[in-house]
Amino acid sequence: MADVANTAGLIIEGKNTMSLAVIKGEVERFITSTRPEVLCLQGGWGVGKTHLWNTCLRDAETSDHAGLEAYSYVSLFGLNNISDLRMSVFERRRSLKSGGQEDSGKGLLAGLQKMANFRSRGKLLKALPGVANLSDEEIISLLSVADSPQQIVCIDDVERRGDGLNVKDILGFASFLKEERKCKVIIILNDEELDRDGQQQMSAHLEKVVDVSLTMKPTSAEAVSIALTRSDDLSKQIAQKCRTLGVPNIRAIRRAEKFARSIMKYLDGCENKTKDNVISSVILFSWSRDQPGEAPTTEFLKSLTSTWKFFALDQDGDEDNGAEAAQWKPLLEAYGYGWTDDLDLTLMDGVAAGYFDLEKLIPLIAEFNARISSENADSSFNEAWQLYHDSFGDNEVEVGDALFASFKKNFQHITPSNALGTFRILKDFGREAEAKELVNLYVAGRDEGRAFFDLDQNHFIEGEIDPYFRTQFDKKRDELSEVLDFKETLLSVGDGWNSERLAFLADAPVEKYYETFKGSEGEELRKLLANATSFRRIVNSTDEMSRVTQKTISALEQIGKASRINARRVRRFGVKIDPASG
């Protein structure tokens, strides 16, 4: 693609240094001049090419400064041949005077008269050599070009053209309009999405056809100023975050704004820090989704599953994704993104799906906000990590002291993964006794259930776990009895069971089976019934298995006796209801 454009004595060089103001000025000059020419406006997805063109054209039309009096806009999306393009230019022609509005009756009558005229002229032309084999549509297409003089023509979406329309023909048609019909033609395309043949044809013919070639690559500040049109506090917040990330894409910014605004209603009453964290995550994830080649990938963001995971990215050989970490860690630090938690994963899923799962999201927001409220009372733990992270000073002792003291104050609000991170860094600093003191304090002082201390089930913990740290957690886990839920336990039977879970099911009263079956439906009910009756197929079943089967049958009998339709339904499980008892 040509980087140098020469027009009317103006030379624009270097597409990477071309500001949006320069491009806008050149587009405005193109619209207001009467000189026939071809302009090519290129740029990636979402940079605002068509938006810029429409804005400049509308301004010129409103002020009556357009160089020519007629205009035709054609999107090549789905157009499969040059005849379609010619006809579209004719059909979409409109006036640029009086706001582009013509008398509708007059315009319609004129169009019908022209079409009838084309058809009658086409019948005469078929008598000429070389024309007889053309279809009526092809002849009308050719005649329509003759009726498209001196107008501005916009040919958009070149990269989305149909298979039967090649770039060489498009450029040839643009050249014809300029040279023979004295038109001004602007070609708009996403050069990054142009197929290989299209790129080759564009490179071969661009300089021969195009007078001015402009490439839009707006800065983040320019994209933000175009994308965000409101002046409220949320818009200012979104603008600041997009500028920090360096998002240069107008569509990506607008989509991020849409997600941010849609989630604000679920943040009413939350701490300001909660709101800021959620909005920050949504904007980052939206950018990652829309521009995976320009932003951190979702896979990389998902890998940042704890404070330690994030801070450990600077350790030699610690990470499989070291190159990506080196590329994005400085930006994420400047942005204030530390790690990915359950709330982030749910937000990420919502951005990917286009909507948020409120049943999962709202409890996670409440949990996060409660944690923020607690941390606001004493923020020393985060400040201690910042002391480690925000300096290259020789302050190992100061950092170690701060981590040790802040952990003791805040251990009730620290996650197991962050507790492990603190343990690791203190041990690395040669303060093993203090590291052990902290894990002992943590295990003794936290009163969560058994699952909280099961490190093997904690998906936020990665890497090798120190034996002492694991031993303390395992001891606490084993001291606590597992709190089982009847339905969840019965649903899990299909994946295997242990003696403790089987005894739990066997000891449950028949009423629990009855309530569970009656309160379930669909796939969940089918799975519950399949699991509850599965022990009948086991030869030499244990006493617990037999009791589960007996209670299942008793519950089904109660359900069957309640109505004739349920009496029929339970038959497939071998339960027969005496009509007299129904």
Side-chain angles (χ1 to χ4, degrees):
M1 305 286 176
D3 284 348
V4 178
N6 193 341
T7 175
L10 175 66
I11 298 178
I12 302 175
E13 298 187 5
K15 59 186 178 183
N16 290 331
T17 60
M18 197 183 302
S19 72
L20 193 60
V22 171
I23 294 175
K24 185 173 184 288
E26 182 59 16
V27 171
E28 290 171 341
R29 181 210 62 77
F30 171 84
I31 293 172
T32 56
S33 78
T34 59
R35 175 174 174 263
E37 60 184 315
V38 178
L39 183 149
C40 182
L41 184 58
Q42 307 178 62
W45 172 84
V47 299
K49 304 179 295 295
T50 304
H51 173 82
L52 174 66
W53 167 253
N54 287 336
T55 300
C56 292
L57 182 71
R58 183 175 61 249
D59 291 345
E61 185 176 359
T62 302
S63 62
D64 201 22
H65 286 161
L68 301 180
E69 295 187 358
Y71 171 63
S72 182
Y73 171 86
V74 179
S75 169
L76 297 187
F77 181 52
L79 295 190
N80 282 305
N81 54 63
I82 197 67
S83 296
D84 290 344
L85 174 54
R86 292 186 189 122
M87 279 302 300
S88 295
V89 170
F90 165 71
E91 292 170 347
R92 295 170 186 246
R93 177 184 171 105
R94 69 174 180 83
S95 173
L96 287 174
K97 302 301 179 181
S98 303
Q101 299 299 317
E102 296 180 328
D103 180 81
S104 59
K106 181 180 178 181
L108 176 59
L109 179 60
L112 292 173
Q113 288 174 339
K114 286 178 180 179
M115 189 63 70
N117 188 30
F118 287 166
R119 292 190 181 278
S120 64
R121 288 158 63 188
K123 292 177 180 178
L124 295 174
L125 287 174
K126 279 208 170 187
L128 297 176
V131 181
N133 293 329
L134 296 179
S135 67
D136 290 346
E137 288 74 15
E138 289 172 325
I139 293 175
I140 291 173
S141 169
L142 290 170
L143 290 173
S144 69
V145 174
D147 199 64
S148 302
Q150 288 190 304
Q151 62 176 318
I152 299 174
V153 177
C154 176
I155 300 175
D156 198 359
D157 297 321
V158 175
E159 73 283 356
R160 302 171 73 194
R161 70 198 187 284
D163 293 337
L165 184 60
N166 62 58
V167 170
K168 181 180 177 181
D169 289 340
I170 297 167
L171 293 174
F173 180 60
S175 179
F176 171 82
L177 290 174
K178 170 195 168 185
E179 300 294 343
E180 302 298 329
R181 309 310 301 157
K182 306 306 177 186
C183 294
K184 301 179 71 64
V185 183
I186 177 170
I187 300 171
I188 302 177
L189 73 147
N190 178 352
D191 51 318
E192 296 174 358
E193 294 296 325
L194 203 59
D195 58 76
R196 184 175 179 181
D197 288 343
Q199 289 178 350
Q200 291 175 346
Q201 292 175 28
M202 184 68 74
S203 297
H205 300 283
L206 182 70
E207 293 184 1
K208 301 172 186 176
V209 174
V210 172
D211 300 284
V212 182
S213 180
L214 306 173
T215 299
M216 281 189 67
K217 194 172 184 179
T219 65
S220 179
E222 290 172 335
V224 165
S225 68
I226 295 172
L228 302 176
T229 57
R230 304 189 196 184
S231 58
D232 61 314
D233 290 341
L234 180 58
S235 292
K236 294 175 183 177
Q237 185 180 14
I238 296 169
Q240 182 270 325
K241 293 183 182 302
C242 288
R243 285 194 295 266
T244 300
L245 289 172
V247 184
N249 191 287
I250 294 169
R251 290 188 189 176
I253 294 170
R254 285 179 174 165
R255 192 170 299 180
E257 180 191 19
K258 183 196 77 170
F259 283 120
R261 292 192 183 280
S262 70
I263 206 168
M264 279 300 294
K265 57 189 167 187
Y266 306 116
L267 299 174
D268 286 345
C270 290
E271 300 277 355
N272 288 335
K273 188 174 180 181
T274 299
K275 295 177 181 178
D276 187 72
N277 271 271
V278 170
I279 297 301
S280 292
S281 292
V282 164
I283 291 171
L284 175 61
F285 302 154
S286 182
W287 181 40
S288 176
R289 175 206 174 190
D290 285 342
Q291 291 193 284
E294 304 291 332
T297 64
T298 54
E299 291 75 16
F300 174 69
L301 293 173
K302 286 179 179 179
S303 75
L304 306 179
T305 50
S306 71
T307 301
W308 173 254
K309 175 77 171 178
F310 187 73
F311 285 116
L313 292 176
D314 56 7
Q315 302 300 314
D316 292 337
D318 256 5
E319 304 303 325
D320 295 331
N321 54 2
E324 194 168 9
Q327 178 183 3
W328 294 116
K329 185 184 176 189
L331 176 64
L332 293 178
E333 289 176 356
Y335 188 62
Y337 189 86
W339 68 93
T340 302
D341 58 16
D342 279 338
L343 174 56
D344 289 315
L345 293 173
T346 301
L347 292 171
M348 203 179 294
D349 289 342
V351 168
Y355 65 93
F356 297 107
D357 183 341
L358 298 183
E359 289 188 5
K360 293 176 62 178
L361 179 65
I362 291 176
L364 289 170
I365 289 176
E367 179 184 339
F368 183 86
N369 190 62
R371 188 162 69 248
I372 293 298
S373 298
S374 299
E375 289 177 358
N376 284 342
D378 189 340
S379 60
S380 58
F381 185 65
N382 287 334
E383 291 171 357
W385 274 109
Q386 290 172 0
L387 185 64
Y388 160 77
H389 192 57
D390 293 346
S391 169
F392 285 117
D394 186 12
N395 59 346
E396 178 182 310
V397 174
E398 183 183 1
V399 170
D401 289 345
L403 285 172
F404 181 74
S406 63
F407 188 99
K408 293 181 72 173
K409 285 184 179 180
N410 296 281
F411 75 91
Q412 290 286 359
H413 311 296
I414 294 173
T415 65
S417 58
N418 290 337
L420 177 59
T422 307
F423 180 91
R424 284 169 169 166
I425 198 168
L426 288 176
K427 190 174 179 183
D428 286 347
F429 287 173
R431 304 171 70 150
E432 185 171 355
E434 290 178 327
K436 291 181 176 179
E437 180 182 342
L438 292 186
V439 71
N440 292 339
L441 170 69
Y442 189 83
V443 168
R446 298 297 293 260
D447 57 0
E448 283 78 2
R450 189 174 189 270
F452 182 84
F453 295 96
D454 191 344
L455 297 177
D456 294 327
Q457 300 302 316
N458 190 323
H459 62 276
F460 289 112
I461 291 180
E462 297 185 10
E464 185 177 351
I465 300 175
D466 182 89
Y468 184 86
F469 189 94
R470 173 177 282 282
T471 297
Q472 302 312 305
F473 268 70
D474 288 351
K475 284 169 59 178
K476 182 64 175 281
R477 178 200 63 197
D478 294 342
E479 291 172 0
L480 299 171
S481 59
E482 184 176 12
V483 179
L484 298 174
D485 175 83
F486 181 82
K487 179 187 283 189
E488 293 300 322
T489 303
L490 188 54
L491 284 171
S492 70
V493 165
D495 301 320
W497 63 87
N498 55 36
S499 58
E500 182 181 0
R501 293 188 169 222
L502 187 56
F504 171 75
L505 293 174
D507 291 339
V510 172
E511 290 73 23
K512 179 61 72 173
Y513 286 80
Y514 176 86
E515 293 170 1
T516 301
F517 296 155
K518 286 286 289 182
S520 304
E521 59 184 18
E523 183 179 351
E524 182 180 62
L525 176 60
R526 290 195 296 271
K527 187 172 182 179
L528 286 168
L529 291 169
N531 291 348
T533 58
S534 63
F535 297 118
R536 290 193 297 185
R537 300 188 297 271
I538 296 179
V539 180
N540 299 322
S541 60
T542 64
D543 177 65
E544 287 85 359
M545 293 177 183
S546 298
R547 287 160 59 199
V548 169
T549 299
Q550 292 167 3
K551 291 181 179 182
T552 297
I553 298 302
S554 296
L556 291 175
E557 287 176 345
Q558 291 184 34
I559 293 170
K561 290 177 181 179
S563 66
R564 286 184 296 183
I565 190 171
N566 281 341
R568 293 179 61 87
R569 285 169 172 160
V570 299
R571 288 179 191 173
R572 67 182 187 273
F573 303 105
V575 178
K576 295 182 179 181
I577 304 299
D578 184 352
S581 65

